[in-house]
Amino acid sequence: AQTVTQSQPEMSVQEAETVTLSCTYDTSESNYYLFWYKQPPSRQMILVIRQEAYKQQNATENRFSVNFQKAAKSFSLKISDSQLGDTAMYFCAFQETSGSRLTFGEGTQLTVNP
Amino acid sequence: EADIYQTPRYLVIGTGKKITLECSQTMGHDKMYWYQQDPGMELHLIHYSYGVNSTEKGDLSSESTVSRIRTEHFPLTLESARPSHTSQYLCASSEWGEAEKLFFGSGTQLSVL
């Protein structure tokens, strides 16, 4: 069974600074998909960024980027120029193949301080 | 605007009551999911459906049941609620494809007294 581990239950960062959230996973598959989801307080969970394992280039979405290290099975999220609205719970997720169910990590609570 | 809706947003009920949590999506997605989430904790998949008349149990054992009579509607029912059912329940949907994006509802916070 696939596992997803987020070793940082809580993190904080000052506004405008950069923060990196860690995620590791375990799989024997060579192709799979990785995601970061954001759950703001009392609001809907939304997709932040996604990565296909067969793509070597790291995904980027505006201030959000990932560092995908396939050999190390690591998938960290970097948030640049942090904003107060980035305060949320962040979940790393793994999908083994297209159509299979997602496995979520335990989550990291990020607080952006003014 | 395409979206996914959950009602009620909050529900407080007594032990033994039967409840149904509603989930509807307007995106025409075949795939729908129910997750259970305790405060500040990870999500646990309890039910999913890949289309009309298709329902499966998820990774976490649950005493709830689901139905999928229409594509857009995926209600979750608890026949006899207990305090151990107190949790947040999140509904989500997605369409078939690579690196599928899940669309989540706002959740139902259930408290069973």
Side-chain angles (χ1 to χ4, degrees), chain B:
Chain B
E1 180 178 323
D3 208 340
I4 180 164
Y5 304 94
Q6 286 187 246
T7 57
R9 183 72 179 90
Y10 301 95
L11 181 61
V12 181
I13 60 167
T15 297
K17 298 292 186 183
K18 177 181 178 180
I19 59 166
T20 296
L21 308 185
E22 302 288 347
C23 177
S24 294
Q25 48 97 3
T26 59
M27 296 170 281
H29 289 166
D30 283 329
K31 302 171 78 174
M32 296 190 74
Y33 309 85
W34 276 104
Y35 289 89
Q36 186 173 341
Q37 182 188 28
D38 291 325
M41 302 293 285
E42 63 195 288
L43 282 73
H44 295 285
L45 181 67
I46 52 175
H47 298 284
Y48 63 99
S49 168
Y50 285 172
V52 171
N53 295 326
S54 156
T55 60
E56 301 287 345
K57 290 189 178 297
D59 305 317
L60 180 69
S61 175
S62 174
E63 295 167 342
S64 58
T65 59
V66 292
S67 63
R68 191 85 183 277
I69 299 173
R70 304 198 313 269
T71 298
E72 63 272 20
H73 195 212
F74 191 42
L76 180 146
T77 298
L78 275 168
E79 291 292 333
S80 180
R82 296 205 299 270
S84 61
H85 296 138
T86 294
S87 188
Q88 174 163 242
Y89 293 84
L90 294 174
C91 182
S93 71
S94 68
E95 56 185 5
W96 294 95
E98 287 195 349
E100 297 163 11
K101 174 181 178 180
L102 282 179
F103 292 81
F104 282 87
S106 299
T108 294
Q109 179 60 52
L110 174 64
S111 297
V112 184
L113 306 178

